[in-house]
PDB file of all heavy atoms in Angstrom:
ATOM      1  N   GLN S  15     -42.932 -66.787 -35.830  1.00 98.00           N
ATOM      2  CA  GLN S  15     -42.399 -68.010 -36.416  1.00 98.00           C
ATOM      3  C   GLN S  15     -41.552 -68.670 -35.199  1.00 98.00           C
ATOM      4  O   GLN S  15     -41.643 -69.846 -34.884  1.00 98.00           O
ATOM      5  CB  GLN S  15     -41.498 -67.891 -37.530  1.00 98.00           C
ATOM      6  CG  GLN S  15     -42.161 -67.611 -38.762  1.00 98.00           C
ATOM      7  CD  GLN S  15     -41.312 -67.566 -39.992  1.00 98.00           C
ATOM      8  OE1 GLN S  15     -40.279 -68.286 -40.034  1.00 98.00           O
ATOM      9  NE2 GLN S  15     -41.706 -66.758 -40.950  1.00 98.00           N
ATOM     10  N   VAL S  34     -56.549 -60.342 -41.745  1.00 93.00           N
ATOM     11  CA  VAL S  34     -57.196 -59.956 -43.022  1.00 93.00           C
ATOM     12  C   VAL S  34     -58.465 -59.003 -42.783  1.00 93.00           C
ATOM     13  O   VAL S  34     -58.615 -58.074 -43.452  1.00 93.00           O
ATOM     14  CB  VAL S  34     -57.535 -61.137 -43.863  1.00 93.00           C
ATOM     15  CG1 VAL S  34     -58.186 -60.702 -45.251  1.00 93.00           C
ATOM     16  CG2 VAL S  34     -56.317 -61.988 -44.357  1.00 93.00           C
ATOM     17  N   MET S  39     -61.321 -62.961 -38.067  1.00 95.00           N
ATOM     18  CA  MET S  39     -60.623 -63.250 -36.782  1.00 95.00           C
ATOM     19  C   MET S  39     -61.610 -63.821 -35.784  1.00 95.00           C
ATOM     20  O   MET S  39     -61.391 -64.764 -35.103  1.00 95.00           O
ATOM     21  CB  MET S  39     -59.993 -61.874 -36.278  1.00 95.00           C
ATOM     22  CG  MET S  39     -58.771 -61.576 -37.122  1.00 95.00           C
ATOM     23  SD  MET S  39     -58.144 -59.896 -36.791  1.00 95.00           S
ATOM     24  CE  MET S  39     -57.311 -60.203 -35.168  1.00 95.00           C
ATOM     25  N   SER S  61     -61.100 -57.879 -31.612  1.00 94.00           N
ATOM     26  CA  SER S  61     -62.582 -57.570 -31.317  1.00 94.00           C
ATOM     27  C   SER S  61     -62.905 -58.032 -29.861  1.00 94.00           C
ATOM     28  O   SER S  61     -62.618 -59.125 -29.428  1.00 94.00           O
ATOM     29  CB  SER S  61     -63.351 -58.441 -32.351  1.00 94.00           C
ATOM     30  OG  SER S  61     -64.881 -58.453 -32.040  1.00 94.00           O
ATOM     31  N   PRO S  75     -43.821 -54.667 -27.784  1.00 97.00           N
ATOM     32  CA  PRO S  75     -42.402 -54.505 -27.632  1.00 97.00           C
ATOM     33  C   PRO S  75     -41.994 -53.335 -26.817  1.00 97.00           C
ATOM     34  O   PRO S  75     -41.336 -52.477 -27.350  1.00 97.00           O
ATOM     35  CB  PRO S  75     -42.032 -54.365 -29.096  1.00 97.00           C
ATOM     36  CG  PRO S  75     -43.198 -53.757 -29.748  1.00 97.00           C
ATOM     37  CD  PRO S  75     -44.356 -54.364 -29.049  1.00 97.00           C
ATOM     38  N   ARG S 173     -38.425 -38.712 -37.836  1.00 98.00           N
ATOM     39  CA  ARG S 173     -37.461 -39.734 -38.555  1.00 98.00           C
ATOM     40  C   ARG S 173     -36.610 -38.985 -39.537  1.00 98.00           C
ATOM     41  O   ARG S 173     -35.658 -39.424 -39.945  1.00 98.00           O
ATOM     42  CB  ARG S 173     -38.296 -40.784 -39.283  1.00 98.00           C
ATOM     43  CG  ARG S 173     -39.253 -41.565 -38.331  1.00 98.00           C
ATOM     44  CD  ARG S 173     -39.989 -42.584 -39.239  1.00 98.00           C
ATOM     45  NE  ARG S 173     -41.131 -43.347 -38.468  1.00 98.00           N
ATOM     46  CZ  ARG S 173     -41.007 -44.309 -37.639  1.00 98.00           C
ATOM     47  NH1 ARG S 173     -39.853 -44.864 -37.488  1.00 98.00           N
ATOM     48  NH2 ARG S 173     -41.981 -44.940 -37.104  1.00 98.00           N
ATOM     49  N   GLY S 197     -38.758 -46.587 -42.922  1.00 97.00           N
ATOM     50  CA  GLY S 197     -37.689 -45.939 -43.486  1.00 97.00           C
ATOM     51  C   GLY S 197     -37.547 -44.444 -42.966  1.00 97.00           C
ATOM     52  O   GLY S 197     -38.542 -43.859 -42.554  1.00 97.00           O
ATOM     53  N   ASN S 346     -32.039 -62.791 -53.819  1.00 98.00           N
ATOM     54  CA  ASN S 346     -32.529 -61.499 -53.443  1.00 98.00           C
ATOM     55  C   ASN S 346     -33.673 -61.155 -54.265  1.00 98.00           C
ATOM     56  O   ASN S 346     -33.585 -60.692 -55.613  1.00 98.00           O
ATOM     57  CB  ASN S 346     -31.423 -60.358 -53.631  1.00 98.00           C
ATOM     58  CG  ASN S 346     -31.838 -59.039 -53.153  1.00 98.00           C
ATOM     59  OD1 ASN S 346     -32.931 -58.552 -53.200  1.00 98.00           O
ATOM     60  ND2 ASN S 346     -30.790 -58.385 -52.502  1.00 98.00           N
ATOM     61  N   GLU S 373     -18.354 -74.277 -54.956  1.00 98.00           N
ATOM     62  CA  GLU S 373     -17.116 -73.964 -54.542  1.00 98.00           C
ATOM     63  C   GLU S 373     -16.780 -74.534 -53.197  1.00 98.00           C
ATOM     64  O   GLU S 373     -15.733 -75.163 -52.962  1.00 98.00           O
ATOM     65  CB  GLU S 373     -16.772 -72.386 -54.514  1.00 98.00           C
ATOM     66  CG  GLU S 373     -15.301 -72.065 -54.430  1.00 98.00           C
ATOM     67  CD  GLU S 373     -14.389 -72.453 -55.562  1.00 98.00           C
ATOM     68  OE1 GLU S 373     -15.002 -72.344 -56.637  1.00 98.00           O
ATOM     69  OE2 GLU S 373     -13.360 -72.793 -55.392  1.00 98.00           O
ATOM     70  N   TYR S 423     -38.829 -75.034 -57.105  1.00 95.00           N
ATOM     71  CA  TYR S 423     -38.322 -76.389 -56.956  1.00 95.00           C
ATOM     72  C   TYR S 423     -37.068 -76.254 -56.117  1.00 95.00           C
ATOM     73  O   TYR S 423     -36.812 -77.075 -55.183  1.00 95.00           O
ATOM     74  CB  TYR S 423     -38.063 -76.907 -58.329  1.00 95.00           C
ATOM     75  CG  TYR S 423     -37.333 -78.363 -58.167  1.00 95.00           C
ATOM     76  CD1 TYR S 423     -38.160 -79.466 -57.921  1.00 95.00           C
ATOM     77  CD2 TYR S 423     -35.924 -78.490 -58.406  1.00 95.00           C
ATOM     78  CE1 TYR S 423     -37.633 -80.656 -57.740  1.00 95.00           C
ATOM     79  CE2 TYR S 423     -35.474 -79.791 -58.181  1.00 95.00           C
ATOM     80  CZ  TYR S 423     -36.254 -80.873 -57.950  1.00 95.00           C
ATOM     81  OH  TYR S 423     -35.811 -82.172 -57.815  1.00 95.00           O
ATOM     82  N   ASP S 529     -46.478 -71.588 -65.883  1.00 93.00           N
ATOM     83  CA  ASP S 529     -46.797 -71.365 -64.488  1.00 93.00           C
ATOM     84  C   ASP S 529     -46.045 -70.182 -63.968  1.00 93.00           C
ATOM     85  O   ASP S 529     -44.890 -70.086 -63.748  1.00 93.00           O
ATOM     86  CB  ASP S 529     -46.431 -72.617 -63.560  1.00 93.00           C
ATOM     87  CG  ASP S 529     -46.911 -72.397 -62.089  1.00 93.00           C
ATOM     88  OD1 ASP S 529     -47.601 -71.330 -61.765  1.00 93.00           O
ATOM     89  OD2 ASP S 529     -46.629 -73.399 -61.347  1.00 93.00           O
ATOM     90  N   TYR S 532     -44.458 -68.302 -59.312  1.00 96.00           N
ATOM     91  CA  TYR S 532     -43.278 -67.677 -58.768  1.00 96.00           C
ATOM     92  C   TYR S 532     -43.217 -66.112 -58.834  1.00 96.00           C
ATOM     93  O   TYR S 532     -42.973 -65.394 -57.988  1.00 96.00           O
ATOM     94  CB  TYR S 532     -42.085 -68.327 -59.357  1.00 96.00           C
ATOM     95  CG  TYR S 532     -40.815 -67.422 -59.198  1.00 96.00           C
ATOM     96  CD1 TYR S 532     -40.126 -67.280 -57.989  1.00 96.00           C
ATOM     97  CD2 TYR S 532     -40.169 -66.881 -60.229  1.00 96.00           C
ATOM     98  CE1 TYR S 532     -39.036 -66.431 -57.938  1.00 96.00           C
ATOM     99  CE2 TYR S 532     -39.086 -66.142 -60.143  1.00 96.00           C
ATOM    100  CZ  TYR S 532     -38.430 -65.983 -58.980  1.00 96.00           C
ATOM    101  OH  TYR S 532     -37.314 -65.061 -58.832  1.00 96.00           O
TER     102      TYR S 532
END
Side-chain angles (χ1 to χ4, degrees):
Q15 291 188 30
V34 176
M39 294 165 75
S61 168
R173 305 179 189 271
N346 191 321
E373 192 67 36
Y423 182 74
D529 181 0
Y532 157 69

